[in-house]
Amino acid sequence: MTDAAENISVWSPFYAYLSRLRWIKRWGLKRNALDENVMEHSWEVAVIAHTLALIKNRYYGGSLDANAIATAALYHDITEVITGDLPTPIKYHSEAINVAYKEIEKQAEKELLKLLPPELQADFEALIHHDSMPEEHARIIKAADKISAYLKCQAELKAGNTEFEMAAQELAKTIAGYRQPEVVFFMQAFAPSCGLTLDGLMRT
């Protein structure tokens, strides 16, 4: 067998950048009882999005590629390794700030894509450039992102941190407003048990 590595002359800092997502803290304007970084948030969004897609397929006649959606969700906040996590109240404080931030995100997407070897860039195009993602995939990932944030708020409230009360209420309204049956299913079937202790889970 030929040792393929002998002929590799490619060098890329792409995954070195990704590894730094663990240092990007979320919810920067709030006092947190439980710190959350972008890397762990991305994993949670990916598993929720994967489950939402499967629910859509099995219960509501969907034909989504759940694996592709889960993979895209892992990369959904990748630009924050360059931009940092801009808190939601700031991001949506005004139309001008929102538009400016979206332009910064697009530029960050381009910069990250260029870090990859040319032969791999086409494969990562739809993962990194949000505008290239199928609309149905984006809708599922957005819902998963909001559910992840909602669960974070609930964990903070359970820890006695009232700092997250208003965010929890706003997220609950947003999630209810999606009117996606797979989201309703997830929130009824899976979300309630996320507030249980380990002892409580073991008794179920």
Side-chain angles (χ1 to χ4, degrees):
M1 179 180 292
T2 302
D3 186 359
E6 291 179 359
N7 301 318
I8 293 176
S9 59
V10 174
W11 183 89
S12 169
F14 182 76
Y15 281 98
Y17 270 89
L18 261 60
S19 71
R20 303 190 69 81
L21 286 170
R22 63 169 55 88
W23 308 124
I24 310 297
K25 299 294 186 183
R26 288 172 48 81
W27 304 92
L29 292 181
K30 293 184 181 294
R31 176 179 61 82
N32 285 251
L34 309 164
D35 285 339
E36 180 184 57
N37 64 56
V38 174
M39 184 178 282
E40 61 188 303
H41 167 70
S42 297
W43 177 86
E44 185 172 55
V45 172
V47 295
I48 294 173
H50 183 256
T51 303
L52 289 175
L54 292 177
I55 293 169
K56 176 88 169 179
N57 291 347
R58 301 293 179 249
Y59 291 91
Y60 303 108
S63 57
L64 298 173
D65 186 337
N67 294 332
I69 287 172
T71 303
L74 284 170
Y75 291 89
H76 83 284
D77 275 341
I78 188 177
T79 56
E80 291 185 5
V81 77
I82 293 177
T83 68
D85 176 52
L86 188 66
T88 297
I90 303 300
K91 190 184 298 184
Y92 297 103
H93 179 71
S94 71
E95 180 67 20
I97 291 176
N98 190 26
V99 170
Y101 186 71
K102 286 185 181 300
E103 287 303 314
I104 292 171
E105 278 187 316
K106 287 181 180 179
Q107 186 59 41
E109 289 171 355
K110 293 176 183 177
E111 293 297 323
L112 287 165
L113 194 63
K114 287 193 300 186
L115 296 177
L116 285 158
E119 293 80 4
L120 294 177
Q121 290 181 13
D123 298 299
F124 280 84
E125 176 78 24
L127 297 175
I128 296 177
H129 283 175
H130 291 171
D131 291 345
S132 301
M133 188 184 301
E135 186 177 341
E136 275 196 318
H137 291 198
R139 190 180 304 117
I140 289 286
I141 293 169
K142 184 176 182 180
D145 189 39
K146 296 300 184 184
I147 291 171
S148 174
Y150 173 81
L151 295 178
K152 156 70 173 173
C153 290
Q154 294 303 311
E156 289 287 338
L157 292 174
K158 191 170 180 63
N161 185 5
T162 57
E163 183 88 6
F164 282 76
E165 280 184 352
M166 187 173 294
Q169 293 169 7
E170 291 299 320
L171 284 162
K173 289 179 185 176
T174 298
I175 292 167
Y178 285 150
R179 302 187 184 279
Q180 294 167 249
E182 63 275 13
V183 172
V184 175
F185 186 109
F186 187 98
M187 295 301 291
Q188 292 180 355
F190 294 109
S193 60
C194 291
L196 295 176
T197 63
L198 177 60
D199 291 336
L201 285 171
M202 295 295 286
R203 292 195 183 102
T204 57

